[in-house]
């Protein structure tokens, strides 16, 4: 019933004669006739729970229909079983199921002349076809009300996100114990590959496994260089479990021991992250964690002589301190209302991920050359404060060194 309840809640926010038309993602070709593994569009899955390609849901207050692929024994031998038209009404609680091949003829018959149609076209041929079919109707966007719903997680979503966080936590711990100098970054990534597959999950995004100077490349994904004794390695990796993402970053020494200069930078980032997390509760501005983190990093870098008083922090910290998390790793939802930062509400989940990135080209004290540190956790806003979903993953210098040097 969860998807039907979401449909009712969404319709309650729309015009009385609203008609929702929403499609899933198309299959994407990797090369030749080989496709990537299919993942449904998050908005579509949120409202329907249906995970096959080539599907369009039509939802109103009185009717719930879906266009989908019918059974095809020949194709199912190659691609796997389909739900099919006969089974779909009971399985998906539909009033009617239509063959997707008939959408050109059938879609207009489901639209009352007084309907206000809500449809957001994705940049693909199939949605262009739907847009053409809707040419004579007034179309409104569904994004704002739907994405506001997705921003506030219910208990089932929180439970799933906690599972994703737990799987990723174990993978990060195993990586700290597995790493050795001379290993390739991709070898260390294999720890995450194995842990995620073992737990019926997958990468929520392309993982970053960045040793040494590579950690100063914010979206480094080559993951093909040798991990060097004395360097740090930054791993930004999280699994997606049942279509919900986790997002964690940890940094640790390849040889198991932080140098003094690495400790100095790491502790600044950790202090900033802990303080930023601590402020999160309902009624606090969503900008406050970033504001707090920046102030601590600024002060810390000035105390080390890496920044002059008042010198812009963006030289060493050039990204935000967090983003919404949910079905998408950079999840939907606005950060401002009426040009002002919105306030945290119970059920929101946000990452907190301050960082410092010091490149050799920055021409500062060479003991800090090529140190890139980011520490990231997933934080749920609760009724009175917050809960760190990834809180079981260690991050203090002493705890990391103790785990990495445990016999």
């Amino acid at each position: 019933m969860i998807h039907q309840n979401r449909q009712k809640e969404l319709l309650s926010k729309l015009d009385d004669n609203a008609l929702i038309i929403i499609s899933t993602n198309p299959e994407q070709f990797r090369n030749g006739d080989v496709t990537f593994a299919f993942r449904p569009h998050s908005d579509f899955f949120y409202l329907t729970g249906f995970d096959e390609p080539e599907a369009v849901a039509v939802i109103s207050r009185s009717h719930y229909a879906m266009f989908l692929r019918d059974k095809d024994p020949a194709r199912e031998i190659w691609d796997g079983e389909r739900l099919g038209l006969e089974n779909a009404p009971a399985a998906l609680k539909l009033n009617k199921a239509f063959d997707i091949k008939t959408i050109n003829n059938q879609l207009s018959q489901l639209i009352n002349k007084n309907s206000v149609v809500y449809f957001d076209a994705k940049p693909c041929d199939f949605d262009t076809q739907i847009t053409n079919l809707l040419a004579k109707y007034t179309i409104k966007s569904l994004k704002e009300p739907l994405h506001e719903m997705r921003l506030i997680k219910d208990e089932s979503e929180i439970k799933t996100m906690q599972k994703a966080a737990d799987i990723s936590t174990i993978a990060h711990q195993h990586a700290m114990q597995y790493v050795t100098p001379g290993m390739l970054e991709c070898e260390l990534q294999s720890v995450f590959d194995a842990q995620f597959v073992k737990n019926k999950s997958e990468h929520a995004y392309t993982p970053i496994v960045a040793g040494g100077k590579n950690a100063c490349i914010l979206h480094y994904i080559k993951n093909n260089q040798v991990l060097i004794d004395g360097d740090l390695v930054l791993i930004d990796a999280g699994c997606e479990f049942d279509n919900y993402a986790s997002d964690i970053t940890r940094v640790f020494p390849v040889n198991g021991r932080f140098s003094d200069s690495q400790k100095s930078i790491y502790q600044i980032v950790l202090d900033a992250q802990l303080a930023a997390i601590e402020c999160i509760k309902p009624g606090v501005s969503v900008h406050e964690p970033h504001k707090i983190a920046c102030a601590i990093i600024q002060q810390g870098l000035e105390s080390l002589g890496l920044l002059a008083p008042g010198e812009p922090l963006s030289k060493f910290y050039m990204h935000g301190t967090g983003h919404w998390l949910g079905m998408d790793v950079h999840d939907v939802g606005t950060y401002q209302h009426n040009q002002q930062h919105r306030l945290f509400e119970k059920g929101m989940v946000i990452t907190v991920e301050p960082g410092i990135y010091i490149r050799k080209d920055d021409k500062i004290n060479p003991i800090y050359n090529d140190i890139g540190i980011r520490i990231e956790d997933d934080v749920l806003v609760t009724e009175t404060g917050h809960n760190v979903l990834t809180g079981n993953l260690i991050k203090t210098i002493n705890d990391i060194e103790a785990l990495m040097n445990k016999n």
Side-chain angles (χ1 to χ4, degrees), residues 85-135:
L85 300 183
E86 183 178 347
N87 299 325
L92 302 175
K93 311 300 182 187
L94 304 173
N95 297 111
K96 182 71 175 177
F98 298 92
D99 193 322
I100 190 65
K101 296 176 182 177
T102 69
I103 193 168
N104 286 342
N105 298 323
Q106 297 283 357
L107 181 60
S108 62
Q109 297 180 30
L110 298 177
I111 307 175
N112 185 287
K113 65 180 181 179
N114 297 317
S115 295
V116 178
V117 179
Y118 287 80
F119 175 69
D120 294 289
K122 299 181 289 298
C124 64
D125 292 341
F126 189 72
D127 277 18
T128 299
Q129 176 187 346
I130 296 175
T131 300
N132 292 335
L133 293 173
L134 299 175

Side-chain angles (χ1 to χ4, degrees), residues 53-105:
E54 297 183 64
V56 179
V58 182
I59 306 165
S60 70
R61 285 176 170 80
S62 61
H63 204 76
Y64 176 28
M66 187 177 294
F67 293 88
L68 68 157
R69 302 176 306 179
D70 200 3
K71 302 286 287 183
D72 184 335
R75 286 312 313 168
E76 289 177 65
I77 290 173
W78 292 90
D79 303 326
E81 187 176 2
R82 299 177 179 181
L83 180 62
L85 300 183
E86 183 178 347
N87 299 325
L92 302 175
K93 311 300 182 187
L94 304 173
N95 297 111
K96 182 71 175 177
F98 298 92
D99 193 322
I100 190 65
K101 296 176 182 177
T102 69
I103 193 168
N104 286 342
N105 298 323

Side-chain angles (χ1 to χ4, degrees), residues 264-335:
S264 297
I265 303 300
Y266 188 95
Q267 193 62 49
I268 293 171
V269 176
L270 181 58
D271 290 345
Q273 199 228 17
L274 292 172
I277 291 173
E278 187 59 30
C279 82
I280 295 175
K281 63 181 179 180
V284 171
S285 166
V286 299
H287 183 64
E288 191 66 14
H290 182 64
K291 181 179 175 181
I292 289 173
C294 286
I296 292 174
I297 292 173
Q298 181 85 34
Q299 182 181 27
L301 293 178
E302 287 179 8
S303 70
L304 293 178
L306 297 178
L307 283 179
E311 186 179 357
L313 180 59
S314 58
K315 180 178 181 180
F316 299 119
Y317 180 31
M318 63 294 293
H319 60 76
T321 299
H323 55 79
W324 302 130
L325 184 69
M327 297 187 79
D328 300 322
V329 68
H330 294 132
D331 208 29
V332 295
T334 63
Y335 296 89

Side-chain angles (χ1 to χ4, degrees), residues 211-213 228-233 251-270 304 306 356 358 366-375 397 401:
K213 66 181 182 180
I228 298 172
D229 193 344
D231 279 352
L232 298 174
V233 58
V251 178
F252 48 91
V254 173
N255 63 14
R257 297 289 181 188
F258 288 91
S259 70
D260 289 342
S261 55
Q262 291 167 351
K263 286 181 180 179
S264 297
I265 303 300
Y266 188 95
Q267 193 62 49
I268 293 171
V269 176
L270 181 58
L304 293 178
L306 297 178
I356 297 174
I358 307 173
I367 66 171
Y368 299 109
N369 280 351
D370 296 331
I371 293 178
I373 294 173
R374 180 170 64 255
I375 305 172
I397 292 170
E401 289 187 340

